[in-house]
Amino acid sequence: MAWTEPATAPRPRADADRPTSARDQILTGAGAARYRSAVHDAVNRIAHRFTEVKQPFTGVSHDEMRRRHEKIDLDRPLEDLAAALSELDEVYLDDAVWFHDPKYLAHLNCPVVLPAVVGEAFNAAVNTSVDTWDQSAGATVIEQRLVDWACGLVGFGEESDGVFTSGGTLSNLQALFIAREEAQAKWGADSLPRLRIIASEVGHFSVQKAARLLGLGRESVVAVPVDGEQHMDLAALRRALDDAEAAGDHVAAVVATAGTTDYGSVDRLRRIAEITDGRTAWLHVDAAYGCGLLVSPTRRHLLDGIELADSVTVDFHKSYFQPVSSSAVLVKQGGKLGHTTYYADYLNPRTSPEPNLVDKSLQTTRRFDAIKLWLTLRAMGPEQIGVLFDQVCDLADDVWKAVDAHPDFETVTGPSELSTVLFRLKGDDELQRRARRALAEGGTGLVAATVHEGRQVLKLTLLNPLTTVADVMEVLDGLAAHNTEGPNQ
Ligand SMILES: Cc1ncc(COP(=O)(O)O)c(C=O)c1O
């Protein structure tokens, strides 16, 4: 989409608004007028986009994007911020991928709610870092209140604690770091080569990454097969535990998934907790996607038993309509977060009278992401978030039925417990790839792809409550139109 002038064009700036030196660019009270004007200009441009965007993507190619960069010399700045914003249109905004568009159906990206977007404005300008009390004050308490609130949703008790992170990958890493420390405390420092992590074969790859980073061997993650509903197979889990013990290995962690990335399947958490009880150093639940169920008015029961976990990953930027990034790792015995603690004299000495969140974080300088969820809860409340999450799950049920009944498509699994739909165009693997690519090149809709039982499949991840079945079927019609050798051509 080419850039057109906003309906309410930013007003031309008075000369007094213009920064005259590098020092003027620093945001202070003296620059408040310039700040207002610059942010007004930027917000106006963005708002205008939201009113104009008619499809999730333009289909711009990587080659074309690279070409547009050829004339940009990063050592030679433009005349001013307005010029930089105009240039940004060309290298970014004209061809952005819009998650709020009802035909964006691809990955785990949600549209964002206004209170959270407003929270980001505070993050950028106030620039709080929540590592220590003396850099954050009230922000530390806000984050802590939200962590306590989330632990309460899980059903953890008084001793629980947690910390915000940049995403599910980091939350899982931190949980598995604690697990490794606990395992080595139990089986000795030299047990490292024998430590195993058991996860389902459809669990998230961040578990494998974490294992590598934590010094566990390449073979340390044991993938347990799933049943027909993509839940970790419980008999196979028992066998994996038996096999590990028989081999003289130690199970540092079992990772259950509440909302698998591809299938939206929620492992049977209570059963897993019962089976693993006493047989693993740590039980982690990756609820990066499924955490929306914690506030769901109708589906909370799917998380039955989550409170039996030692730790839980929750990604508010997937299921609570929060801008990236917003995630947390929650730990039942909060004191175990102390495995992360390092007291630095310059920053968070042991003697600090106030809490320093860096004591329990892998990061040091850290964004005040909690502000977004805070404003969301205070302006909307958790029920509304839960209702929105329920709506996308309901939508996925309806879409599954429509796809299943469609002559050009076949569903490849049953309906999801959350909001994904896996399907194929009737035809071979190459057709799925070709149709998806052609759709993306047109940009009228975006779908994802994955592999199920060795076959290339297409995937919808529905996280937009404003998307309708008709929107989805329009996108699918677009896909079918690329089936030039298909059954209906
Ligand atoms: C189940 C699950 N866990 C963890 C992650 C990683 O989360 P993030 O992308 O926020 O690092 C994902 C991402 O899709 C996920 O689906």
Side-chain angles (χ1 to χ4, degrees):
M1 188 189 71
W3 165 248
T4 50
E5 197 62 22
T8 34
R11 58 195 169 79
R13 287 177 323 197
D15 274 352
D17 286 350
R18 262 177 208 284
T20 52
S21 74
R23 295 167 69 88
D24 289 341
Q25 297 281 13
I26 295 172
L27 177 55
T28 66
R34 281 194 296 277
Y35 166 63
R36 266 195 207 99
S37 149
V39 172
H40 179 269
D41 183 8
V43 169
N44 199 26
R45 285 164 180 267
I46 298 165
H48 178 67
R49 293 295 173 145
F50 272 85
T51 61
E52 292 294 301
V53 160
K54 297 284 183 289
Q55 57 183 60
F57 188 39
T58 60
V60 69
S61 69
H62 183 238
D63 283 350
E64 167 60 17
M65 267 300 168
R66 299 272 307 174
R67 193 192 57 71
R68 290 186 206 169
H69 276 262
E70 279 165 13
K71 62 176 188 298
I72 296 176
D73 179 349
L74 288 176
D75 292 317
R76 287 177 186 277
L78 296 166
E79 182 197 350
D80 58 12
L81 177 59
L85 286 172
S86 296
E87 181 187 79
L88 193 68
D89 287 335
E90 208 186 328
V91 293
Y92 172 53
L93 213 51
D94 283 349
D95 302 277
V97 178
W98 297 98
F99 301 150
H100 75 282
D101 187 280
K103 295 193 174 101
Y104 179 83
L105 313 171
H107 299 289
L108 268 165
N109 311 108
C110 53
V112 291
V113 289
L114 201 52
V117 175
V118 170
E120 280 291 15
F122 287 85
N123 259 343
V126 184
N127 196 27
T128 293
S129 174
V130 279
D131 44 336
T132 54
W133 167 264
D134 70 1
Q135 296 172 81
S136 61
T140 285
V141 182
I142 284 178
E143 174 169 329
Q144 190 62 53
R145 287 285 310 272
L146 287 172
V147 161
D148 295 343
W149 172 80
C151 285
L153 288 180
V154 166
F156 283 167
E158 287 289 302
E159 289 182 1
S160 60
D161 198 359
V163 69
F164 271 61
T165 76
S166 62
T169 302
L170 203 71
S171 294
N172 285 345
L173 172 64
Q174 183 157 1
L176 293 174
F177 166 68
I178 299 171
R180 188 200 69 185
E181 295 293 289
E182 289 291 305
Q184 285 188 287
K186 193 167 173 179
W187 292 299
D190 56 0
S191 64
L192 193 69
R194 302 227 69 102
L195 296 185
R196 298 291 176 265
I197 295 174
I198 297 180
S200 106
E201 61 179 335
V202 297
H204 195 257
F205 68 84
S206 52
V207 172
Q208 269 87 354
K209 267 196 186 179
R212 293 292 313 279
L213 288 168
L214 293 170
L216 278 64
R218 277 181 189 277
E219 307 304 322
S220 61
V221 179
V222 179
V224 173
V226 288
D227 63 19
E229 292 176 317
Q230 312 300 324
H231 299 138
M232 187 189 279
D233 184 280
L234 299 177
L237 170 61
R238 272 196 210 89
R239 272 197 304 279
L241 288 162
D242 290 345
D243 290 350
E245 276 164 24
D249 294 333
H250 305 294
V251 181
V254 170
V255 179
T257 312
T260 57
T261 318
D262 278 347
Y263 304 97
S265 48
V266 181
D267 283 339
R268 296 294 170 246
L269 304 178
R270 183 170 299 283
R271 296 288 297 121
I272 290 175
E274 285 163 3
I275 291 166
T276 54
D277 191 26
R279 302 187 70 181
T280 174
W282 200 258
L283 174 60
H284 177 62
V285 174
D286 177 358
Y289 178 13
C291 61
L293 298 172
L294 289 169
V295 288
S296 157
T298 64
R299 292 173 166 84
R300 173 62 176 81
H301 61 277
L302 290 171
L303 296 178
D304 176 53
I306 193 170
E307 71 282 2
L308 301 173
D310 294 298
S311 57
V312 176
T313 287
V314 286
D315 270 11
F316 305 115
H317 63 210
K318 291 185 175 52
S319 310
Y320 286 60
F321 309 97
Q322 300 293 297
V324 175
S325 54
S326 183
S327 175
V329 59
L330 310 172
V331 180
K332 182 192 274 160
Q333 286 179 273
K336 308 269 186 204
L337 285 157
H339 287 301
T340 316
T341 310
Y342 186 91
Y343 296 109
D345 292 339
Y346 83 94
L347 188 68
N348 58 330
R350 196 185 285 274
T351 52
S352 296
E354 289 94 8
N356 295 315
L357 299 184
V358 69
D359 293 355
K360 48 184 180 172
S361 174
L362 296 181
Q363 295 165 262
T364 306
T365 305
R366 192 161 55 85
R367 287 168 53 85
F368 179 29
D369 282 320
I371 190 174
K372 296 176 284 188
L373 183 60
W374 178 265
L375 287 177
T376 303
L377 293 186
R378 300 310 293 145
M380 295 175 64
E383 295 84 359
Q384 287 194 24
I385 296 297
V387 167
L388 291 177
F389 190 67
D390 255 14
Q391 285 171 1
V392 295
C393 297
D394 292 341
L395 172 69
D397 283 343
D398 293 341
V399 166
W400 186 89
K401 286 182 200 132
V403 175
D404 201 48
H406 197 290
D408 292 342
F409 300 103
E410 56 194 11
T411 52
V412 295
T413 56
S416 159
E417 286 164 298
L418 299 183
S419 64
T420 64
V421 179
L422 264 60
F423 67 102
R424 279 170 64 93
L425 275 156
K426 288 180 180 161
D428 61 11
D429 279 4
E430 187 44 39
L431 171 64
Q432 319 304 318
R433 285 189 275 266
R434 197 174 63 236
R436 175 173 181 251
R437 174 164 279 271
L439 181 75
E441 281 168 1
T444 52
L446 291 176
V447 304
T450 189
V451 172
H452 171 71
E453 293 179 350
R455 292 201 308 166
Q456 185 68 50
V457 300
L458 299 169
K459 180 173 83 159
L460 311 175
T461 311
L462 303 174
L463 281 177
N464 188 344
L466 304 180
T467 296
T468 63
V469 177
D471 290 323
V472 178
M473 296 322 284
E474 242 181 77
V475 173
L476 266 55
D477 286 343
L479 271 172
H482 297 294
N483 183 3
T484 47
E485 296 146 14
N488 286 348
Q489 301 295 316

